Every structure is written in structure tokens, then in C-alpha cells.
């Protein structure tokens, strides 16, 4: 298959883990590494992906290679494997806009080139890189910067995977623009491979399948990477709470019974995420069932497993001349797709799409 040329908007933790996952696949294309849900997506293997560049604003990353950028102190994702040839790809400057608003401004110094960068520079670079897919992995709440990247990709005619909670694929007006231009957009907000929301919705659907009635639930998440630092600011985390509620609503909960989202930054956890999950449900004769779960994962590899499917699905949708938001590809991979589905239906739709 022709290589899928991927550009990353954001050279942080998730970008590091995804690039490593691609490098692992490139080193042994015949293998099926743990966590790869679909070895083939419409004939595309993960080894067909090439990470050709990333955009960032951090002075310690801009102008350096991906390998060097991922080795900076602000990146806490574990380095499991070397990046190989893609590690030499450049980190290009992006306009700062609102990307460093909130707590991130205290730990990231913007590069001079990023201060001077313009949206049209992003579009120009995407065209010159002959990119196929842009993956947006900017900080939650950076609405202007996220939408700038979506507009730049649309102008360049390049498919978008929106890994953030910002509503792009759910924005009907934006999706009409993508559809009219013949460009694919997938989103919104990655549903981690086996993360808090994936486990939460699976448990809710199990209860419902046995005839139980969930009455209340909460999901409390803490971590120590820059994502959790950013989310410690309530003005930045609001869309994350909305996205998680969308996912739980699709699984059968009503809004009044949901409390789910990031609840704390604990620096020494680094890229570890800890989830405390509770569900209360009514069973036979009004008896009560309570589930309490603690889930501990490394956050960024958990995201990489989903991005591995999303970039190939975006390329496959483009090959099939689809455009706008493609819900058969979105419902399984994202917390807040255009139309939410229960996990079983979403998985069947995705597998049908990629077969």
C-alpha cells in the first residue's frame, strides 16, 4: 500500500507514544504488537504510516527533530523503542494563539518562530509535506489553535483526526465545509484504547444487558503529565467533562446521574493516569449493586493505540471518496462522535467499515 503521510499538531506525550508505536510496526511489519486492535484497516498496516513532521510552539522542540523533541523534560511519556527514520522528521513552528493559556504557560516557553508563525504557514507546510492526515493533539481548551489547524488542513485538502474534546466533527457547519471540499474529518476526543471511558461504558452496557438500571455513576481521574496540568484549570477542562458525559450518555446514562472528568494533577505520577470509577444500579426486587474499580494505565500509549486506527481509517475514507464526518469510523474511536453508539454497535460499525 502507498504510505500514509501523517503530520502531528503537537509534539507531546501522545505524539511520542504514537510515533513509537509506528516505529515498532515499521521494524517488524509481519508482527501484531499488543494493543493493535486492527492489524489491517482496509488493507493499510500500521507499518504503512510515516510520521513526516510535527507542529509545536515549545522553544525546546521547534527546529529540532522528533527524536530530540520527545526527549525534552516536558515530555513524560516512556521511551519504549527508538523512532527509526521518522525520528529525523522536523518539528515546525505553529502559531501560539491560545495554546499556552492557563498552567502550561508556566512550564513552556514559546519559540520565537512560533510567535511569528501564521495560519497560512501551516497550510503551506502541509501541502509541501504532501501530508495525507493531520492529527490534532493540542491542549484541551485551546479552541482557537485547534480550529486554526482544522481550517489549515481544510485549505490544504488534508484529512483531520481530532484527538481533542473541541467540537469539530460534531460541529455541523464545519462538517459541511469539509464535506463540500471533499475532505474527511474524524473526531472528537480520543476514546483511549483501554482507558477510563472505555471501561466505564463497557460496565454500564454489561449492567443494562442484564436488565439492571444504573442510577448514578462517577469517574474521577488524576495524572501527572502536561495534559493533567492543563486540565487542572477549570476554564480549560470544561470540554473534557462534556465529552465524557457524551460517551456515558450514549452508553445509557442520563445527564443528572453523571459525574466524570479530570479531578487532579499529581506531578510525581508523570504519564501515569489513575481512574476511580463507581456505578450504582438497581437489580432484582429493588436490590442494589455497586461497582468500584481502580484503573491504572500509562496515559499516552493508551491513546496511541486509537490513533493507530484513526489515521488509517481517515486515509481509507479518503480513498473511498467520502467526506465530512464519517460516523462509522468515529463512533468506536472517539468519546464524542457526531452520533454516539453503544460499544457493541460502534465496534460492529467500525469493523464493517474497515473490512
Amino acid at each position: 500500500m502507498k504510505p500514509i503521510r501523517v503530520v502531528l499538531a503537537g509534539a507531546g506525550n501522545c505524539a511520542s507514544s504514537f510515533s513509537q508505536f509506528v516505529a515498532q510496526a515499521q521494524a517488524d511489519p509481519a508482527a501484531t504488537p499488543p494493543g493493535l486492535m486492527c492489524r489491517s484497516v482496509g488493507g493499510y498496516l500500521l507499518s504503512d504510516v510515516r510520521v513526516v513532521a510535527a507542529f509545536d510552539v515549545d522553544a525546546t522542540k521547534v527546529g529540532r527533530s522528533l527524536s530530540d523533541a520527545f526527549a525534552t523534560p516536558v515530555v513524560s511519556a516512556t521511551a519504549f523503542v527508538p523512532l527509526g527514520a521518522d525520528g529525523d522528521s522536523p518539528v515546525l513552528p505553529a502559531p501560539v494563539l491560545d495554546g499556552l493559556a492557563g498552567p502550561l504557560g508556566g512550564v513552556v516557553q514559546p519559540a520565537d518562530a512560533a510567535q511569528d508563525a501564521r495560519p497560512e504557514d501551516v497550510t503551506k507546510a502541509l501541502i509541501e509535506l504532501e501530508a495525507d492526515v493531520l492529527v490534532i493533539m493540542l491542549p484541551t481548551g485551546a479552541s482557537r489553535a485547534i480550529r486554526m489547524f482544522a481550517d489549515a488542513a481544510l485549505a490544504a485538502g488534508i484529512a483531520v483526526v481530532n484527538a481533542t474534546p473541541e467540537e469539530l466533527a460534531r460541529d455541523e457547519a464545519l462538517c459541511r465545509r469539509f464535506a463540500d471540499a471533499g475532505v474527511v474529518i474524524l473526531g472528537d476526543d480520543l476514546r483511549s484504547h483501554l482507558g477510563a471511558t472505555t471501561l466505564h461504558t463497557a460496565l454500564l452496557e454489561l449492567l443494562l444487558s442484564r436488565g439492571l438500571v444504573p442510577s448514578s455513576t462517577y469517574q474521577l481521574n488524576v495524572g501527572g503529565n502536561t495534559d493533567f496540568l492543563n486540565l487542572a484549570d477549570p476554564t480549560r477542562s470544561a470540554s473534557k467533562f462534556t465529552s465524557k458525559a457524551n460517551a456515558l450518555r450514549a452508553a445509557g446514562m442520563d445527564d443528572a446521574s453523571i459525574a466524570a472528568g479530570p479531578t487532579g494533577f499529581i506531578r510525581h505520577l508523570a504519564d501515569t493516569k489513575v481512574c476511580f470509577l463507581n456505578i450504582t444500579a438497581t437489580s432484582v426486587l429493588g436490590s442494589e449493586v455497586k461497582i468500584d474499580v481502580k484503573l491504572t494505565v500509562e496515559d499516552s500509549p493508551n491513546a496511541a493505540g486509537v490513533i493507530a486506527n484513526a489515521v488509517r481509517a481517515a486515509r481509507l475514507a479518503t480513498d473511498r471518496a467520502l467526506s465530512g464526518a464519517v460516523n462509522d469510523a468515529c463512533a468506536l474511536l472517539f468519546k464524542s462522535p457526531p452520533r454516539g453508539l453503544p460499544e457493541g454497535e460502534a465496534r460492529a460499525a467500525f469493523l464493517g467499515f474497515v473490512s
Side-chain angles (χ1 to χ4, degrees):
M1 303 291 285
K2 183 181 176 183
I4 304 173
R5 296 176 63 82
V6 174
V7 175
L8 309 175
N13 291 303
C14 291
S16 173
S17 291
F18 171 65
S19 299
Q20 291 180 64
F21 203 24
V22 169
Q24 183 184 42
Q26 290 172 349
D28 188 0
T32 302
L36 185 63
M37 186 179 77
C38 294
R39 186 172 187 277
S40 171
V41 173
Y44 287 106
L45 306 180
L46 184 55
S47 57
D48 293 320
V49 173
R50 301 290 182 272
V51 181
V52 298
F55 287 97
D56 210 290
V57 301
D58 189 334
T60 66
K61 299 176 185 176
V62 171
R64 305 178 71 179
S65 69
L66 280 181
S67 291
D68 288 342
F70 295 152
T72 57
V74 74
V75 176
S76 54
T78 301
F80 291 98
V81 299
L83 292 190
D86 290 356
D88 295 329
S89 296
V91 178
L92 306 174
V96 178
L97 300 177
D98 55 352
L100 297 181
L104 289 178
V107 298
V108 176
Q109 178 67 35
D112 290 342
Q115 302 275 33
D116 297 332
R118 303 167 301 167
E120 50 266 38
D121 298 330
V122 176
T123 298
K124 182 173 182 285
L126 290 172
I127 294 171
E128 291 176 348
L129 289 163
E130 299 181 336
D132 297 305
V133 181
L134 174 70
V135 184
I136 303 178
M137 294 184 281
L138 299 189
T140 298
S143 181
R144 289 177 57 209
I146 292 165
R147 287 183 172 267
M148 179 278 298
F149 270 106
D151 287 339
L154 179 58
I158 292 163
V160 168
V161 170
N162 177 31
T164 81
E166 181 71 19
E167 292 194 349
L168 301 183
R170 288 173 67 94
D171 183 327
E172 293 183 3
L174 181 64
C175 283
R176 279 196 298 272
R177 291 172 55 207
F178 271 77
D180 291 345
V183 181
V184 170
I185 181 167
L186 304 183
D188 299 311
D189 197 10
L190 284 180
R191 180 192 291 258
S192 292
H193 192 60
L194 212 166
T197 299
T198 297
L199 177 61
H200 203 158
T201 56
L203 289 172
L204 287 170
E205 290 174 24
L206 172 63
L207 291 169
L208 290 166
S209 75
R210 312 300 283 189
L212 278 71
V213 181
S215 56
S216 65
T217 190
Y218 64 76
Q219 180 198 125
L220 311 177
N221 301 308
V222 297
N225 59 23
T226 50
D227 185 35
F228 276 92
L229 175 63
N230 176 61
L231 293 171
D233 182 345
T235 64
R236 302 285 273 185
S237 62
S239 59
K240 176 65 77 173
F241 282 89
T242 299
S243 177
K244 284 183 174 288
N246 287 340
L248 297 177
R249 191 181 305 116
M253 291 298 298
D254 65 84
D255 288 354
S257 304
I258 296 172
T263 53
F265 171 69
I266 302 173
R267 187 179 303 277
H268 71 260
L269 287 178
D271 200 34
T272 297
K273 173 180 175 178
V274 183
C275 163
F276 300 93
L277 189 160
N278 169 276
I279 304 173
T280 301
T282 304
S283 187
V284 177
L285 296 174
S287 61
E288 191 175 72
V289 173
K290 287 190 176 182
I291 299 175
D292 286 285
V293 177
K294 177 184 175 183
L295 173 70
T296 303
V297 296
E298 182 161 358
D299 204 22
S300 301
N302 221 1
V306 181
I307 301 170
N309 291 326
V311 296
R312 292 180 292 161
R315 174 58 184 272
L316 178 61
T318 301
D319 290 348
R320 292 178 176 172
L322 301 177
S323 61
V326 182
N327 205 69
D328 282 354
C330 293
L332 180 68
L333 304 179
F334 299 90
K335 296 185 184 76
S336 193
R339 183 169 60 89
L341 296 173
E343 176 87 8
E345 293 179 28
R347 180 177 173 81
F350 183 79
L351 294 179
F353 173 75
V354 304
S355 61

